[in-house]
């Protein structure tokens, strides 16, 4: 049911809304801006890290670069009250623009790019690519830019010139990924001039930028029964979107939650989280601590609050692949639309333990959603996420969960069309708990 905020649905319309969110969020900066807009609509207020925070109840959020932390203080909550944190991340593997972007070769105009995160390089070939990100302006301030038209392309070599291609495509990260965007001599300054114009700012005022490319093909329902969703950046905007929906639902409900619900959407997960906006940075810890202190708490209250805090970290996981089922654990085969997955790895690539499993089970039970378990095949390396980092950095109990997908990190991923709202419902059940 929609709330007063008009943004929370726990049925297919949630997935329609996710599609709108994905379209509006080609970069982490856009993902944060779109999330902030939804939170504001639901009555949350942005606070800055440089101002003093008040002790009032209600919803607040902080934005730093591509990261956002939002929380809702229920009426009459003491400073020792524990938090319930949903973790997620805003970044996705992609190609990002280099500092001197204008380049070219043999009569082609090209844009120099760097590989961001764990990219299956072939998935960026022969796609119509747009450009987005933020521009830093002379004198301070930033502007977002989003070009959704077909602007760039990384062209694959014709099979006639690469007869061995089907024995295994080899791509050199420096030489073979440079997108083209026209014909003619290298035109220095042209890319920034172009994006400045698209952003409606003067090119000479753009003194810094964080720009990246994205596939301009919009998300689509897929399959005979339209039960699947194909889209870019499901990892991990699906979880950010679900977290926003869950937080808004809890904050606008008639009954107050038992703990302080928090949404943490970090940047830089795909490169190891080590940045001022990543999960290894101090952002979440600072916000939780300042929330305790703003309500008159002491160091003792902070320790009590954190000791009672639980984090449910949501990130995409692997569905069993029909063409490579031998790569998966034979007894654990998560399928799309089977509900969110609990991720387990005893070597702490995931933070879940037996007690965490019980927390997740309770959240799903409360929400009335089915759930599944993921564990790696012993012969396969296991991925990791922000869960173990949050657990180690803040010393809070953490559980890793997510949604089962195919083609993770591809420029276009695939998941079940029902799983986004099943995850959102489970996160809401957790935040209420
Ligand atoms: Zn992820």
């Amino acid at each position: 049911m929609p709330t007063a905020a008009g943004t929370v649905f726990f049925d297919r319309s949630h997935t329609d809304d996710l599609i709108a969110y994905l379209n509006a969020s080609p970069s982490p900066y856009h993902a944060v801006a779109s999330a902030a807009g939804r939170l504001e609509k639901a009555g949350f207020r942005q606070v800055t890290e440089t101002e003093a925070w008040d002790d009032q109840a209600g919803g607040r959020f902080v934005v730093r670069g591509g990261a956002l932390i939002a929380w809702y203080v229920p009426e009459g909550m003491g400073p020792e009250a524990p938090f319930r944190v949903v973790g997620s991340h805003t970044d996705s593997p992609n190609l990002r623009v280099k500092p001197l972007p204008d380049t070219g070769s043999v009569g082609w105009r090209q844009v120099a790019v760097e590989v961001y995160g764990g990219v299956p390089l072939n998935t960026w070939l022969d796609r119509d690519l747009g450009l987005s990100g933020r521009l830093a302006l002379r004198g301070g301030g930033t502007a977002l830019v989003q070009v959704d038209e077909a602007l760039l392309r990384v062209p694959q070599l014709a099979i006639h010139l690469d007869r061995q291609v089907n024995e295994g495509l080899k791509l050199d990260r420096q030489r073979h990924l440079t997108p083209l965007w026209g014909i003619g001599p290298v035109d220095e300054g042209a890319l920034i001039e172009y994006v400045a114009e698209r952003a409606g700012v003067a090119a000479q005022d753009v003194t810094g930028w964080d720009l990246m490319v994205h596939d301009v093909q919009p998300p689509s329902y897929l399959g005979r029964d339209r039960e699947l969703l194909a889209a870019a950046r499901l990892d991990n905007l699906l979880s950010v979107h679900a977290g926003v929906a869950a937080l808004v639902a809890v904050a606008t409900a008639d009954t107050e939650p038992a703990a302080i619900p928090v949404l943490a959407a970090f940047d830089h997960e795909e490169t190891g989280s080590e940045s001022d906006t990543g999960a290894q940075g101090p952002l979440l810890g600072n916000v939780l601590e300042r929330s305790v202190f703003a309500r008159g708490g002491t160091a003792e209250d902070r320790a009590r609050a954190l000791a009672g805090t639980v984090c449910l970290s949501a990130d995409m996981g692997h569905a069993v692949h029909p063409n490579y089922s031998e790569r998966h654990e034979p007894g654990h085969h998560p399928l799309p639309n089977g509900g969110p997955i609990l991720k387990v790895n005893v070597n702490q690539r995931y933070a879940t333990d037996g007690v965490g499993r019980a927390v997740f089970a309770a959240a799903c039970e409360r929400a009335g959603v089915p759930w599944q378990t993921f564990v790696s095949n012993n012969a396969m390396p296991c991925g990791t996420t922000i869960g173990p980092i949050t657990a180690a950095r803040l010393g809070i109990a953490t559980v890793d969960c997510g949604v089962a997908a195919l083609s993770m990190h591809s420029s276009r991923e695939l998941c079940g069309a029902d799983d986004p709202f099943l995850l959102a419902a489970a996160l809401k059940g957790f935040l209420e708990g």
Side-chain angles (χ1 to χ4, degrees):
M1 291 296 291
T3 68
T7 54
V8 181
F9 314 92
F10 295 100
D11 54 26
R12 265 299 166 92
S13 56
H14 174 94
T15 312
D16 293 339
D17 190 60
L18 167 63
I19 289 173
Y21 182 70
L22 291 167
N23 284 333
S25 309
S27 80
Y29 314 108
H30 289 82
V32 158
S34 331
R38 284 156 189 264
L39 290 165
E40 272 169 350
K41 239 175 152 183
F44 282 68
R45 187 164 63 75
Q46 183 167 2
V47 292
T48 65
E49 292 181 84
T50 49
E51 70 185 296
W53 293 359
D54 64 40
D55 62 355
Q56 300 301 300
R60 302 279 188 278
F61 66 92
V62 163
V63 169
R64 185 195 282 212
L68 174 145
I69 312 284
W71 67 103
Y72 171 76
V73 179
E75 210 66 61
M77 215 46 136
E80 77 295 346
F83 300 92
R84 286 226 152 194
V85 183
V86 166
S88 60
H89 67 87
T90 59
D91 61 318
S92 304
N94 59 13
L95 305 175
R96 299 198 171 186
V97 174
K98 281 185 171 174
L100 298 172
D102 299 294
T103 184
S105 176
V106 293
W108 291 91
R109 284 191 177 131
Q110 292 175 284
V111 175
V113 294
E114 207 175 349
V115 179
Y116 177 84
V119 176
L121 301 175
N122 61 303
T123 67
W124 289 88
L125 299 177
D126 294 348
R127 288 182 186 264
D128 298 349
L129 303 174
L131 193 64
S132 77
R134 73 175 172 182
L135 306 176
L137 305 175
R138 189 187 304 283
T142 57
L144 293 181
V145 62
Q146 177 170 357
V147 179
D148 284 330
E149 297 103 81
L151 181 70
L152 301 141
R153 177 182 173 114
V154 185
Q156 184 163 4
L157 187 60
I159 192 166
H160 317 79
L161 305 178
D162 188 8
R163 289 289 180 190
Q164 260 69 58
V165 64
N166 290 328
E167 266 90 80
L169 174 65
K170 286 238 177 352
L171 292 169
D172 182 286
R173 292 161 73 90
Q174 175 62 28
R175 288 186 296 145
H176 299 154
L177 295 175
T178 313
L180 58 85
W181 75 315
I183 303 158
V186 177
D187 191 2
E188 238 163 82
L191 185 84
I192 297 308
E193 262 167 47
Y194 176 83
V195 292
E197 194 192 326
R198 295 300 301 259
V201 300
Q204 65 269 21
D205 289 339
V206 177
T207 47
W209 59 83
D210 300 285
L211 295 168
M212 57 204 75
V213 306
H214 63 276
D215 184 358
V216 299
Q217 186 184 0
S220 57
Y221 289 107
L222 185 145
R224 189 196 68 179
D225 298 324
R226 294 284 179 258
E227 64 206 325
L228 299 165
L229 174 68
R233 302 180 298 284
L234 292 171
D235 179 7
N236 190 22
L237 296 187
L238 184 155
S239 305
V240 176
H241 176 260
V244 171
L247 179 61
V248 165
V250 171
T252 54
D254 293 335
T255 48
E256 293 282 44
I260 297 173
V262 180
L263 169 68
F266 297 108
D267 199 354
H268 300 135
E269 189 273 345
E270 301 295 356
T271 59
S273 297
E274 209 166 348
S275 78
D276 71 321
T277 51
Q280 301 241 31
L283 187 58
L284 175 61
N286 283 352
V287 166
L288 300 185
E289 177 175 276
R290 290 187 63 178
S291 171
V292 169
F293 291 163
R295 283 174 286 121
T298 60
E300 173 80 356
D301 292 319
R302 178 189 56 193
R304 291 176 65 192
L306 290 186
T309 292
V310 187
C311 173
L312 186 55
S313 179
D315 201 353
M316 297 303 279
H318 301 298
V320 62
H321 196 301
N323 302 343
Y324 299 85
S325 61
E326 75 284 356
R327 307 274 174 119
H328 298 264
E329 209 297 313
H332 299 75
H333 279 170
L335 277 170
N337 295 334
I341 51 171
L342 179 74
K343 300 172 169 180
V344 178
N345 179 271
V346 290
N347 295 301
Q348 299 303 304
R349 303 287 288 169
Y350 298 128
T352 310
D353 63 8
V355 175
R357 184 185 198 274
V359 169
F360 183 69
C364 292
E365 209 168 282
R366 188 183 177 99
V369 303
W371 59 280
Q372 317 176 74
T373 313
F374 173 85
V375 69
S376 278
N377 181 312
N378 287 343
M380 290 287 147
C382 181
T384 190
T385 174
I386 57 169
I389 297 167
T390 309
R393 187 171 165 80
L394 299 177
I396 58 182
T398 302
V399 187
D400 276 301
C401 73
V403 158
L406 292 185
S407 313
M408 195 194 289
H409 287 194
S410 166
S411 67
R412 196 167 174 86
E413 300 166 324
L414 185 73
C415 73
D418 295 345
D419 283 328
F421 66 81
L422 295 176
L423 175 69
L427 297 181
K428 175 172 169 279
F430 167 73
L431 292 177
E432 288 166 342

